[in-house]
Amino acid sequence: MLDLDDNEKAITEFINNSITRFQTENGLPTSIGIYCCPWSGWITTNFNIKTKLSETENNCPDFDFVEYDFMEIPEWENEYESEHPEFKTNGLVNSHNHELGDENINEIIFNYLKPIVIAIKESKNSVFLLQMLDSNFSEVL
């Protein structure tokens, strides 16, 4: 079993540091994308400066700056590849059944990341897109 809450501080720092570095190098973004592949254990930051979020059709790979920063979280992939993966967050344990496909793990990680991204958004002047790779879990925040 993997306790996702153990990653919260590192993920928050990664996103905040990426935004700060991007703003220093490129100015204020019009939108920020947080793109994640839970089963491979990575998160990227993506930024738009000239392109409107609607012009990307809410798709991080179509942003002006794709994979600006990349965070690997190998323990997510390791747990996912186990026979009976379990992910704990806020004291609740969610099991992933490989036979049901990847939307289950996408939902678990999306729901875990959403409050983190919302908290970061509150201190930034930008629109955020949270998107899971190859998934229906995508939301403008």
Side-chain angles (χ1 to χ4, degrees), residues 75-134:
E75 58 267 26
W76 287 10
E77 180 178 18
N78 293 339
E79 184 64 26
Y80 171 80
E81 291 179 353
S82 70
E83 191 171 333
H84 300 288
E86 293 183 321
F87 299 88
K88 181 179 175 184
T89 183
N90 296 323
L92 300 173
V93 176
N94 294 287
S95 298
H96 173 70
N97 182 343
H98 290 292
E99 294 178 13
L100 299 177
D102 291 331
E103 277 300 82
N104 177 249
I105 190 171
N106 289 333
E107 180 178 19
I108 292 167
I109 300 298
F110 182 87
N111 290 333
Y112 164 70
L113 289 174
K114 187 174 175 179
I116 295 171
V117 174
I118 289 172
I120 293 169
K121 178 190 180 341
E122 291 176 0
S123 67
K124 308 296 178 192
N125 187 21
S126 191
V127 175
F128 279 72
L129 171 66
L130 176 58
Q131 181 182 19
M132 301 293 110
L133 174 71
D134 296 336

Side-chain angles (χ1 to χ4, degrees), residues 23-34:
Q23 289 175 338
T24 300
E25 295 173 359
N26 302 287
L28 292 175
T30 57
S31 54
I32 299 169
I34 307 301

